[in-house]
Amino acid sequence: MDPATYNGADRGAYRWSQTHSDLDVQVVVPADAVSCEDLVVLIKADSLLVKYGARVLVDGKLTHAVKDKESFWTLLPRQHVHVQLEKARPRWWSGLLEGEPAADVPARELPLEELPSEEAMLVERLRWQDLQKRQRDGRPQDPQAPA
C-alpha cells in the first residue's frame, strides 16, 4: 500500500492520504520547480490553492473544514509540494476536494484514546455494563475468548 494514498487517493495532479485527525497532500510540481518563491500556496479553512507561476496546480473547496492556522506546506524541489492539513474535526474524509470521486476509504473504528472524553467514558461504561451482564449470565468475560 502506498503511504502517499493511505486512506486517500491518487488524482494525478495530487495525491492525498489521511489519519483520523490530519491530511497529507502531495501536489506534483514541474521539474523546474526549485524555489518556494515561485509558488503560491493558500490554505484556508475551506479551500486549498497551489500555483506555480501562472499555472494553477490545485484549486478547490475542501470536503470538510481544516484548521488553517495549524496547517503548513513545504516544497520538495522538482517533486511536489507537501501540504499538511490539520482537520477541524476528527473524521474520515471520502474526498479531499468537493466534486472529486469518493475515495475507497474503509469504515474504521476510532481508537478509544482518539475519542472525545465524553464519548470515551460512554464506551467504557458500556463495556463495564456488558462485562457485568456476561458475568451474571455465566458467559466468558472476553467476547473474543473461546468458551
Side-chain angles (χ1 to χ4, degrees), residues 66-117:
V66 297
K67 297 177 183 177
D68 55 336
K69 302 291 187 233
E70 296 179 28
S71 299
F72 59 92
W73 65 274
T74 189
L75 171 65
L76 276 72
R78 297 182 172 91
Q79 295 178 36
H80 62 265
V81 173
H82 182 129
V83 183
Q84 172 75 35
L85 300 171
E86 187 74 24
K87 295 178 180 177
R89 188 175 134 224
R91 66 186 321 164
W92 293 109
W93 291 23
S94 61
L96 177 67
L97 301 176
E98 287 186 359
E100 75 178 32
D104 186 18
V105 179
R108 298 194 179 267
E109 293 182 24
L110 271 180
L112 191 59
E113 60 271 6
E114 288 188 23
L115 287 174
S117 61

Side-chain angles (χ1 to χ4, degrees), residues 10-146:
D10 186 338
R11 299 292 177 225
Y14 63 93
R15 297 178 295 277
W16 66 279
S17 64
Q18 67 178 315
T19 66
H20 198 252
S21 58
D22 62 37
L23 298 142
D24 283 310
V25 184
Q26 295 179 0
V27 181
V28 178
V29 296
D32 61 343
V34 294
S35 173
C36 292
E37 294 171 3
D38 299 325
L39 291 164
V40 173
V41 180
L42 295 175
I43 301 170
K44 295 185 179 178
D46 65 348
S47 64
L48 175 64
L49 170 68
V50 180
K51 286 175 56 175
Y52 175 68
R55 184 173 164 196
V56 176
L57 304 175
V58 171
D59 186 14
K61 185 167 173 52
L62 296 168
T63 305
H64 301 284
V66 297
K67 297 177 183 177
D68 55 336
K69 302 291 187 233
E70 296 179 28
S71 299
F72 59 92
W73 65 274
T74 189
L75 171 65
L76 276 72
R78 297 182 172 91
Q79 295 178 36
H80 62 265
V81 173
H82 182 129
V83 183
Q84 172 75 35
L85 300 171
E86 187 74 24
K87 295 178 180 177
R89 188 175 134 224
R91 66 186 321 164
W92 293 109
W93 291 23
S94 61
L96 177 67
L97 301 176
E98 287 186 359
E100 75 178 32
D104 186 18
V105 179
R108 298 194 179 267
E109 293 182 24
L110 271 180
L112 191 59
E113 60 271 6
E114 288 188 23
L115 287 174
S117 61
E118 302 82 28
E119 293 178 29
M121 289 188 316
L122 176 61
V123 169
E124 285 297 328
R125 185 174 55 136
L126 292 171
R127 285 181 179 170
W128 175 253
Q129 289 172 349
D130 184 60
L131 175 62
Q132 295 298 309
K133 185 173 190 281
R134 288 178 178 281
Q135 287 175 339
R136 280 193 309 271
D137 295 346
R139 292 184 284 163
Q141 293 182 12
D142 181 357
Q144 307 298 322

